[in-house]
Amino acid sequence: MIDVSLSHEKTNFLGFTERDWIQLLDERGYKKFHAGQIMKWIHHRFISDFSEMSDIGMNLRDHLSIIGNLKEPLVKEEFVSTDGTRKWLIESFSGKLFELVYIPEKSRGTLCVSSQVGCALKCDFCSTGKLGFSNNLTAAEIVGQIRVAMRRLAEIFPNNKRRGVSNIVFMGMGEPLLNLPNVLPALEVIRSDLGYGISKRRVTVSTSGIVPAIGVLADKADVSLAISLHAPNDRLRDRLMPLNRKYPISLLLDACRAYSEKFPQKKEIFVEYTLLEGVNDGYEHAKELASILKDLRCKINLIPFNPFAGSTFKQPSLRRVREFQSALVANGYSVTVRATRGNDIAAACGQLAGRLVDQTNRNPKYREIDLKNIQV
Ligand code: SAH
Ligand code: SF4
């Protein structure tokens, strides 16, 4: 529960869960059933002012206007790719810039949301990692991304119901499992029928492997889990992802198995593997990967590296990608290759932050983060 009473600033109610509303209404002597009504006004009808809630008494409307607001993060720029992918440059409440991407496909529309501005984890192949960490996004800023996208899409395609958001992936900027106090309430609003009503299979949280937080996520939310593995052994993963020195592959895979088994029918884990030419894309890597994943119910998603300015890695040829895929398929895995979308607007994975390097106001305190200090 966000403590409204102690806050000197107005509370942004976009990130409020049903439980938060019930508690607030109860504490202030209003009927709890207004929680559902208010949430529908906010998340279904997208009101920006409490005075618009015509079926709620004036007294409660005025009270909410005094203590809170429904401010959305601001869209600064919109980029549209020739393949229909849209990227929005968003300004957070603290004036920092981050990105939000919408990827339309035949049968679904996926929104790729950010959870932090920048990222502290410094993966070598990721442009967000090169930015360093700036700050966590609030629950209102995370939920606000969905509202912003849905409102904009309804504006662009007023009569086209299929051009909506059906899937949400936490694969934008930042490490969602290092911002659980904001990501968990946002997930609740995303999943709730009073919020965006997106089913558990259509919401995916991606992590680079914050092992203890995977357990917390399993306890507190029922969503799909993706892990960014990118290497089949610790020697290589240590090099590519410094976080591996704290949480090596064996611990990460144990946490994934526990996550999978926590749910009935054993949830399938999505294993993301970015292919870097000559680094992790050999036949021997594919064989090693097949061997370490054998006890995990999983699907593998291969992501050919998306180059960005200043990076030394290269994207493997399509032939090499297909060979890698075939080697895994021969071992019984279900393997997809992620199509690169929005290339012309740099909207692909890991490119989100590309243009932001000079604009993001980094927090110097976190520039050189020590992995020992990472706490969940
Ligand atoms: N921090 C989380 C969420 C980001 S998801 C995580 O790492 O899982 C973005 C995905 O794209 C991750 O799998 C990430 O490793 C991958 N990625 C990052 N930079 C990339 C690049 N330049 N090319 C291809 N994939 C990249
Ligand atoms: Fe952070 Fe994920 Fe990029 Fe690694 S891949 S630097 S964890 S955003």
Side-chain angles (χ1 to χ4, degrees):
M1 171 70 189
I2 301 157
D3 192 339
V4 178
S5 56
L6 293 178
S7 164
H8 297 294
E9 282 176 22
K10 285 192 172 194
T11 300
N12 189 320
F13 286 122
L14 289 188
F16 252 44
T17 65
E18 187 181 4
R19 274 179 299 146
D20 291 333
W21 277 113
I22 289 174
Q23 189 177 333
L24 178 109
L25 291 165
D26 201 31
E27 278 169 7
R28 282 151 201 259
Y30 294 100
K31 295 267 185 289
K32 293 183 203 171
F33 70 81
H34 291 311
Q37 288 172 299
I38 297 171
M39 283 187 77
K40 284 185 189 165
W41 279 107
I42 298 174
H43 305 293
H44 297 182
R45 299 198 192 115
F46 303 137
I47 55 160
S48 50
D49 199 304
F50 293 108
S51 62
E52 295 171 57
M53 302 192 298
S54 52
D55 57 356
I56 306 250
M58 187 81 89
N59 188 306
L60 177 52
R61 281 191 262 164
D62 286 349
H63 185 69
L64 294 177
S65 305
I66 292 165
I67 61 170
N69 65 48
L70 296 169
K71 212 169 105 188
E72 277 177 0
L74 211 68
V75 178
K76 297 294 276 186
E77 266 184 275
E78 179 181 71
F79 305 85
V80 189
S81 161
T82 48
D83 68 15
T85 299
R86 271 167 204 272
K87 181 174 77 170
W88 293 286
L89 190 59
I90 310 275
E91 188 179 278
S92 70
F93 300 142
S94 53
K96 312 254 174 72
L97 297 172
F98 62 94
E99 295 188 13
L100 171 65
V101 176
Y102 173 69
I103 307 155
E105 285 167 288
K106 251 201 205 107
S107 55
R108 62 181 170 190
T110 302
L111 193 65
C112 182
V113 300
S114 294
S115 54
Q116 299 182 313
V117 180
C119 181
L121 298 180
K122 295 182 182 320
C123 301
D124 214 12
F125 49 83
C126 174
S127 64
T128 305
K130 301 281 173 210
L131 278 179
F133 176 72
S134 182
N135 60 280
N136 283 327
L137 293 176
T138 62
E141 284 167 327
I142 299 171
V143 171
Q145 293 175 60
I146 296 142
R147 232 179 80 133
V148 159
M150 285 188 169
R151 288 206 305 127
R152 179 74 188 123
L153 292 170
E155 212 173 277
I156 310 168
F157 309 108
N159 302 316
N160 190 344
K161 287 226 154 41
R162 293 180 57 209
R163 287 290 186 147
V165 175
S166 62
N167 292 54
I168 292 184
V169 295
F170 281 72
M171 294 187 184
M173 279 173 93
E175 170 50 56
L177 295 196
L178 285 179
N179 185 15
L180 280 179
N182 291 302
V183 167
L184 288 174
L187 285 174
E188 234 175 286
V189 177
I190 289 168
R191 296 266 292 99
S192 163
D193 285 336
L194 298 171
Y196 297 92
I198 305 206
S199 82
K200 56 187 175 193
R201 268 181 299 280
R202 291 177 178 271
V203 180
T204 304
V205 173
S206 175
T207 180
S208 52
I210 313 290
V211 165
I214 293 176
V216 178
L217 186 73
D219 287 338
K220 303 264 163 97
D222 184 357
V223 292
S224 297
L225 178 71
I227 56 156
S228 295
L229 191 58
H230 309 323
N233 59 60
D234 286 328
R235 202 168 11 92
L236 185 51
R237 198 165 189 266
D238 278 354
R239 226 178 85 203
L240 299 174
M241 306 178 74
L243 179 71
N244 196 64
R245 294 174 213 148
K246 188 168 170 86
Y247 302 120
I249 293 176
S250 58
L251 291 186
L252 174 56
L253 294 181
D254 283 348
C256 287
R257 275 186 285 273
Y259 191 89
S260 171
E261 277 157 26
K262 164 115 196 175
F263 299 94
Q265 291 137 5
K266 289 195 181 180
K267 232 188 237 303
E268 198 162 50
I269 306 292
F270 297 98
V271 175
E272 296 167 275
Y273 193 99
T274 292
L275 286 164
L276 308 163
E277 189 189 70
V279 176
N280 65 356
D281 64 341
Y283 179 70
E284 69 284 6
H285 297 117
K287 268 186 64 181
E288 202 176 355
L289 184 61
S291 147
I292 63 167
L293 293 178
K294 65 179 183 313
D295 300 325
L296 182 67
R297 184 163 142 52
C298 66
K299 262 201 182 116
I300 302 170
N301 189 213
L302 301 176
I303 317 171
F305 173 65
N306 294 302
F308 56 90
S311 108
T312 48
F313 296 108
K314 290 203 180 73
Q315 186 176 87
S317 66
L318 187 60
R319 197 174 131 229
R320 212 163 159 85
V321 173
R322 292 294 175 207
E323 280 168 3
F324 197 91
Q325 181 184 28
S326 304
L328 292 168
V329 170
N331 278 278
Y333 289 94
S334 160
V335 190
T336 51
V337 176
R338 187 174 300 171
T340 301
R341 299 288 307 260
N343 236 353
D344 49 340
I345 55 166
C349 283
Q351 290 184 318
L352 290 179
R355 284 182 62 250
L356 299 184
V357 178
D358 300 327
Q359 301 173 46
T360 307
N361 191 2
R362 285 188 289 174
N363 182 341
K365 196 168 105 199
Y366 290 102
R367 214 166 280 167
E368 289 306 325
I369 197 151
D370 183 344
L371 287 174
K372 289 197 288 296
N373 295 335
I374 287 177
Q375 279 168 6
V376 177

